[in-house]
Amino acid sequence: MERLPGFRDFYPEPLPHSDVWSCDARQYVFDKWRTMARRYGFREYDGPPLEPLELFTTKSGDEIVRQLYNFTDKGDRPVAMRPEMTPTLARMAAAHERAYKKPFKWFAIPQLFRYEKQQRGRLREHFQFNADVIGEPEAAADAELIALVIDTLRSLGLTADDFWVRLSSRRAWQDFYANANGDPTRAYEFYQAVDKLERDKPEEIDQKLRAAGTSLEAVTRFIEAGEPTAELKQIVDDLGARGLGDYVKVDYRVIRGLAYYTGPVFEAFDRKGEFRAIAGGGRYDNLIKLISGGKVDLPALGFGMGDVVLLELLKSRGLLPKFDGGLDAFGLVEDEALRPQTLALIQRLRGAGFAVDYALTKAKSDKQFKRAQDLGAKHTLRLERNEAGALLAKIRNLSTRKESAVTPDEAEAALRSS
Ligand code: HAM
């Protein structure tokens, strides 16, 4: 049985094959995401992976609707696997906003599902670090989120030579479109055409832009002028004050594909331009109102950072550490008569927080030792009786080869100091 195309198996390291995804690397990235989100004062939330279809069909725009994994459940409800987290967050925020002081800063690490054409950096399932600020209209919040994107990528070893954040404004594009007398009912088609500037053929784009009332030439002129709006200037200055100015650049080629963005938008890319966007986000001040049917009106903004492009980028830059099981010790049972005492000691050490493994069944001592090495254990541990019949724990550090002999009661301290 094969897995579905665009879905991944995650294996523990060492990996059987270079094309296989590493569960250790995934956990490493998740840990960095969580650590940095907390350092910025974000609190973790989560929602259901399956949602009413309607949550996505009206709010996110055609592109994502075309990519939905949707079906009718056994209760005849139209449902969809979540393709993104933002509508769920908007629903959750609207339902209980009174319980939280504004602005509130929340993050999540959901697995998302999109029926996309599979290509490099794009799969049918991915994990996404989402961080959003609810209830803050000021540009300081936009800067705070971009700083979080930058610091998260830096915590993974990436530098200003590896990535940059392209900052733009859906509002600036809205104004451009209004000045060009674009048909307001076709505004989203216009945004989508701009979003595809770097991917589609110029003639096709020009055709789409003309249908929306403007042209590739006018759009290119606007991008080349690159005049930052007052709001974007504020964001750039805020980031500059933090010493993060090198990481960000105003670039109107970014507009974002999703329908709900209303203000500043941004995307993080590798500098060499080898990969698709590492992260993307922006302000969506109307979404909560839309999703709550007008009951709650709160400004909001956030970003999503996917694990697929990020892991590929880290791998290509040699920034992923080697992972092993992190075993502090491997228990050798050389004398089966001492197995019960060995088990007692192992449980005691595990209780004290050490990671300890051992041979489940009788095996030759050289085989057990080999297994300890294969598993990358830091120490071996074995019990012996001395001449007087007292138990002795022998602890060997496998990198220095030094062995110490202590009583079982002293084993914990000996492991800690060795
Ligand atoms: P998005 O641009 O659709 O935004 O996705 C954000 C990031 O998730 C992308 O830059 C990419 O790294 C990753 N990603 C998206 N689709 C795939 C895929 N099929 N395979 C692999 N990686 C993918 C959103 O989803 C917004 N909801 C983000 C947001 C949060 N905006 C405000 N708050």
Side-chain angles (χ1 to χ4, degrees):
M1 284 278 252
E2 293 278 315
R3 63 175 189 273
L4 289 168
F7 285 75
R8 292 172 291 175
D9 295 326
F10 288 90
Y11 286 86
E13 296 199 15
L15 299 178
H17 195 280
S18 64
D19 286 345
V20 161
W21 290 83
S22 160
C23 206
D24 294 307
R26 179 178 98 179
Q27 195 53 44
Y28 167 75
V29 165
F30 286 7
D31 287 346
K32 296 284 185 192
W33 284 350
R34 265 203 183 90
T35 303
M36 202 48 77
R38 294 202 179 117
R39 216 177 269 180
Y40 271 68
F42 283 71
R43 299 293 307 276
E44 189 159 1
Y45 71 97
D46 200 2
L50 196 67
E51 289 274 21
L53 175 64
E54 202 199 1
L55 184 66
F56 307 110
T57 45
T58 43
K59 298 18 180 210
S60 304
D62 315 337
E63 187 162 317
I64 230 164
V65 170
R66 265 185 270 123
Q67 296 169 346
L68 281 176
Y69 270 93
N70 62 303
F71 57 95
T72 307
D73 77 2
K74 288 177 183 158
D76 276 336
R77 293 176 207 93
V79 294
M81 305 286 284
R82 58 185 175 196
E84 58 155 338
M85 198 60 178
T86 316
T88 298
L89 170 64
R91 175 173 60 67
M92 288 172 61
H96 290 293
E97 55 98 9
R98 292 220 186 118
Y100 297 94
K101 290 243 170 1
K102 272 39 114 225
F104 48 91
K105 299 160 82 176
W106 286 3
F107 82 96
I109 306 181
Q111 189 174 22
L112 307 174
F113 304 88
R114 298 183 187 181
Y115 199 90
E116 295 215 48
K117 209 165 90 201
Q118 197 185 326
Q119 49 193 298
R120 190 172 182 214
R122 282 288 173 277
L123 300 173
R124 290 185 174 166
E125 145 282 313
H126 72 284
F127 290 88
Q128 207 183 78
F129 172 31
N130 274 248
D132 292 79
V133 179
I134 314 285
E136 180 52 69
E138 292 298 322
D142 303 65
E144 173 78 345
L145 277 169
I146 296 171
L148 173 56
V149 168
I150 296 169
D151 264 344
T152 302
L153 296 177
R154 293 205 301 186
S155 75
L156 288 156
L158 295 163
T159 67
D161 292 334
D162 298 305
F163 76 93
W164 59 311
V165 176
R166 299 160 73 189
L167 176 63
S168 176
S169 166
R170 187 61 79 80
R171 192 166 299 135
W173 277 114
Q174 248 166 37
D175 292 347
F176 168 91
Y177 192 60
N179 286 339
N181 287 323
D183 174 356
T185 62
R186 308 190 77 157
Y188 181 55
E189 284 164 54
F190 166 70
Y191 300 149
Q192 283 198 301
V194 175
D195 187 49
K196 301 265 170 340
L197 278 180
E198 289 168 304
R199 271 173 269 159
D200 290 356
K201 291 200 186 83
E203 311 83 69
E204 282 173 26
I205 304 240
D206 192 45
Q207 211 175 16
K208 283 187 195 149
L209 291 173
R210 283 183 189 279
T214 173
S215 69
L216 181 57
E217 198 204 332
V219 161
T220 309
R221 241 185 289 124
F222 178 73
I223 291 171
E224 279 169 5
E227 201 51 56
T229 62
E231 200 175 28
L232 294 188
K233 220 178 149 301
Q234 244 177 300
I235 298 172
V236 169
D237 289 348
D238 180 315
L239 291 167
R242 300 169 193 239
L244 300 178
D246 286 351
Y247 290 89
V248 61
K249 194 163 181 295
V250 171
D251 183 346
Y252 286 129
R253 282 174 295 172
V254 169
I255 191 168
R256 306 279 298 138
L258 292 157
Y260 47 67
Y261 292 110
T262 52
V265 286
F266 54 88
E267 284 183 343
F269 280 89
D270 68 291
R271 285 250 184 208
K272 289 192 192 155
E274 273 175 66
F275 298 91
R276 302 186 58 142
I278 310 165
R283 193 169 264 286
Y284 51 95
D285 285 347
N286 301 331
L287 186 65
I288 295 181
K289 192 169 172 193
L290 259 171
I291 282 186
S292 66
K295 287 199 201 84
V296 178
D297 188 3
L298 281 172
L301 61 157
F303 69 82
M305 178 184 293
D307 69 323
V308 178
V309 172
L310 184 56
L311 282 165
E312 283 177 356
L313 176 63
L314 293 174
K315 198 167 148 186
S316 85
R317 301 285 185 271
L319 287 172
L320 284 171
K322 283 227 170 314
F323 300 98
D324 57 34
L327 278 186
D328 296 303
F330 188 91
L332 307 172
V333 187
E334 291 182 349
D335 176 358
E336 281 297 322
L338 291 179
R339 185 173 281 271
Q341 291 85 339
T342 310
L343 289 176
L345 179 58
I346 288 172
Q347 287 308 117
R348 203 162 128 188
L349 291 170
R350 286 173 171 170
F354 293 102
V356 190
D357 202 358
Y358 66 100
L360 288 172
T361 54
K362 188 174 169 183
K364 289 213 176 85
S365 52
D366 57 338
K367 271 208 165 152
Q368 293 187 49
F369 188 74
K370 172 92 181 15
R371 189 162 166 83
Q373 284 181 314
D374 287 347
L375 293 175
K378 291 193 190 71
H379 304 88
T380 54
L381 166 82
R382 88 195 135 84
L383 286 182
E384 272 178 23
R385 280 199 193 281
N386 65 12
E387 280 161 18
L391 277 178
L392 216 58
K394 292 209 160 164
I395 295 172
R396 183 186 292 280
N397 181 317
L398 290 188
S399 43
T400 62
R401 301 270 151 181
K402 256 183 70 187
E403 189 174 70
S404 52
V406 296
T407 67
D409 282 346
E410 293 162 344
E412 192 185 318
L415 262 187
R416 233 180 269 287
S417 63
S418 159

